[in-house]
Amino acid sequence: MSRSAHPAGPRHADVLPEGHYTAPATDLNVLDEKVWSRTVTRDDAGALTVGGIEVARLAEEFGTPAYFLDESDFRARCRAWADAFGPDADVFYAGKAFLSRAVVRWLTEEGLNLDVCSGGELATALDAGMPADRIAFHGNNKTVAEIERAVEAGVGRIVLDSFQEIVRVSHIAQRLGTRQRVQIRVTVGVEAHTHEFIATAHEDQKFGIALADGQAAEAVRRALTLDGLELIGIHSHIGSQIFDMAGFEVSARRVVQLLAAVRDEHGVELPEIDLGGGLGIAYTSEDDPREPHEIAKALSDIVTRECEAAGLATPRISVEPGRAIVGPTAFTLYEVGTIKPLEGLRTYVSVDGGMSDNIRTALYDAEYSVALVSRSSDAEPMLVRVVGKHCESGDIVVKDAFLPADLAPGDLIAVPATGAYCRSMASNYNHALRPPVVAVRDGRAHVIVRRETEEDLLRLDVG
Ligand code: LLP
């Protein structure tokens, strides 16, 4: 499809649904730096550039849809987290947000550790050279083969998620003639203020062992007595896309109380606590995320205070941010296809991707913003819904946003903050080919995960 501007774009700024939506006060050409990665800017002609490269050039070379990941921003965020927590704490990047060999190399170089939660993520980490002792292995139902692989590789810790797993890891470590460092994941009973599907600290869900009814204390009892295990600490992850530190405070307090109970019962002071990930990022201008140094200070203050009160030495703290590191570093670039104005309602703008490259809107009601990026425009704002090309009406990428009313087929639009849980949750629905991830840095762009091809699809189809 040509990228030349369409002469007669629809004009619907005057037909916004009554009451609900007011056109933004800000100029649509202005990029809110909260939601865009650090090297994104508009050039003199009004086109968006990232890492010094103009989007039209990127689209020409790599096609659309595609994720463009700002490597220097990714590295800067890794450093910000590592610096904020300092040498007495550990930052584990949560690979589920987005993992590839290049990402593993960047993490290794920037001194971060890595949390993996499947054999596939573990294989990627090891293949790309992450030292095994910097890997934490998670999951509520790790297979025996996965546990064997992790123990054999010498991962730094396995986070035990159930009573069965305590026994399983103990047996496997003994069989392999080693002692595996482990943490126990507990559910602290916090109601995190986030979408139900990504809240993980309440008790009625699949993860972890409950603190409330003494289960966690019993898990510690067993882990301390079984051979093959070295219990190094307690783990708690309360959920994702959380802004309010209150949940982390409650979680830290309850975990420290467990450490004190363990000390009282067993005379053992467990040396580590992991408070998980889940720190929120800005998807739209409405979101106000905290900086890593504020988070680090808040967490270390509460742990130190609670430990002092309990007469415990302060344990080594670790955290597992995924989204907060990679989320803001990438945007998805789409080409506008069909445009369907609905009088009195909104304009549907279809792009060449959709729920196969971003399922978060359909799955969690996630909110995103969007901008016209191949040019600037002085046209009036029009209320749009950005939708994909899949055979499903819930195939929505951005539910409500404003784009200039002269938007036309062939324009490039970009959805920022898609670095986390978009490529990693991408699907082949309707036999869509999953988009590439292109790393951009200092005027250079290179593919780190290539676009799928029809051959890739057909290769698996062996019937
Ligand atoms: N640690 C553990 C044990 C986790 O389960 C998770 C996320 C993290 C760390 C990283 O959380 P983050 O900092 O990235 O929020 N697909 C959902 C998110 C699921 C998160 C699962 N666990 C989404 O797109 O929002």
Side-chain angles (χ1 to χ4, degrees), residues 188 190-192 236 238 242 244-253:
V188 293
V190 173
E191 294 291 336
S236 159
I238 59 171
I242 296 167
D244 184 356
M245 294 304 287
F248 287 97
E249 293 219 358
V250 177
S251 160
R253 188 169 308 129

Side-chain angles (χ1 to χ4, degrees), residues 28 68 171 235 408 420:
L28 289 183
F68 292 96
H171 283 167
H235 182 287

Side-chain angles (χ1 to χ4, degrees), residues 48-286:
L48 183 142
T49 69
V50 56
I53 312 180
E54 207 223 295
V55 282
R57 229 184 86 200
L58 292 171
E60 209 62 57
E61 187 171 347
F62 302 103
T64 56
Y67 307 99
F68 292 96
L69 199 163
D70 192 335
E71 180 184 338
S72 53
D73 192 14
F74 184 96
R75 288 178 181 270
R77 286 175 194 278
C78 289
R79 286 195 290 275
W81 277 88
D83 291 348
F85 279 84
D88 298 329
D90 298 298
V91 179
F92 286 76
Y93 169 75
K96 65 207 83 180
F98 173 63
L99 198 66
S100 75
R101 288 187 176 112
V103 163
V104 173
R105 286 194 300 272
W106 302 339
L107 294 167
T108 311
E109 286 164 16
E110 301 299 342
L112 261 65
N113 307 284
L114 176 61
D115 141 14
V116 299
C117 67
S118 70
E121 289 183 0
L122 178 61
T124 305
L126 294 172
D127 182 80
M130 173 60 74
D133 62 355
R134 281 163 60 183
I135 299 175
F137 190 33
H138 275 277
N140 66 302
N141 188 22
K142 308 171 190 78
T143 66
V144 168
E146 285 174 326
I147 296 169
E148 281 170 352
R149 176 99 197 268
V151 174
E152 260 165 6
V155 298
R157 63 174 71 154
I158 294 181
V159 182
L160 302 172
D161 208 281
S162 66
F163 282 98
Q164 287 91 343
E165 205 168 77
I166 297 173
V167 176
R168 220 170 262 167
V169 175
S170 158
H171 283 167
I172 291 171
Q174 286 181 71
R175 180 151 46 75
L176 295 172
T178 185
R179 236 176 134 219
Q180 177 61 50
R181 288 159 57 87
V182 295
Q183 292 188 339
I184 292 174
R185 175 164 176 176
V186 302
T187 46
V188 293
V190 173
E191 294 291 336
H193 297 146
T194 188
H195 191 280
E196 179 197 347
F197 293 174
I198 51 177
T200 56
H202 54 297
E203 270 123 27
D204 185 6
Q205 44 105 12
K206 70 173 184 167
F207 292 111
I209 299 175
L211 268 182
D213 52 4
Q215 296 283 304
E218 176 59 21
V220 170
R221 231 165 264 141
R222 294 194 197 172
L224 284 175
T225 50
L226 287 176
D227 287 334
L229 302 180
E230 179 189 350
L231 181 62
I232 58 166
I234 302 296
H235 182 287
S236 159
H237 170 77
I238 59 171
S240 276
Q241 186 58 3
I242 296 167
F243 294 107
D244 184 356
M245 294 304 287
F248 287 97
E249 293 219 358
V250 177
S251 160
R253 188 169 308 129
R254 293 188 184 162
V255 169
V256 171
Q257 281 163 4
L258 177 63
L259 294 189
V262 170
R263 187 253 339 258
D264 295 344
E265 183 178 342
H266 306 280
V268 174
E269 286 201 23
L270 298 177
E272 296 190 16
I273 73 173
D274 189 311
L275 294 171
L279 289 316
I281 62 164
Y283 284 104
T284 73
S285 299
E286 255 83 277

Side-chain angles (χ1 to χ4, degrees), residues 6-76:
H6 196 272
R11 293 192 166 268
H12 277 269
D14 50 342
V15 290
L16 301 180
E18 264 174 58
H20 294 298
Y21 302 99
T22 37
T26 49
D27 179 350
L28 289 183
N29 299 306
V30 175
L31 300 168
D32 181 350
E33 60 187 29
K34 264 202 295 188
V35 299
W36 293 93
S37 70
R38 289 178 204 195
T39 74
V40 163
T41 179
R42 278 196 196 266
D43 64 17
D44 294 343
L48 183 142
T49 69
V50 56
I53 312 180
E54 207 223 295
V55 282
R57 229 184 86 200
L58 292 171
E60 209 62 57
E61 187 171 347
F62 302 103
T64 56
Y67 307 99
F68 292 96
L69 199 163
D70 192 335
E71 180 184 338
S72 53
D73 192 14
F74 184 96
R75 288 178 181 270

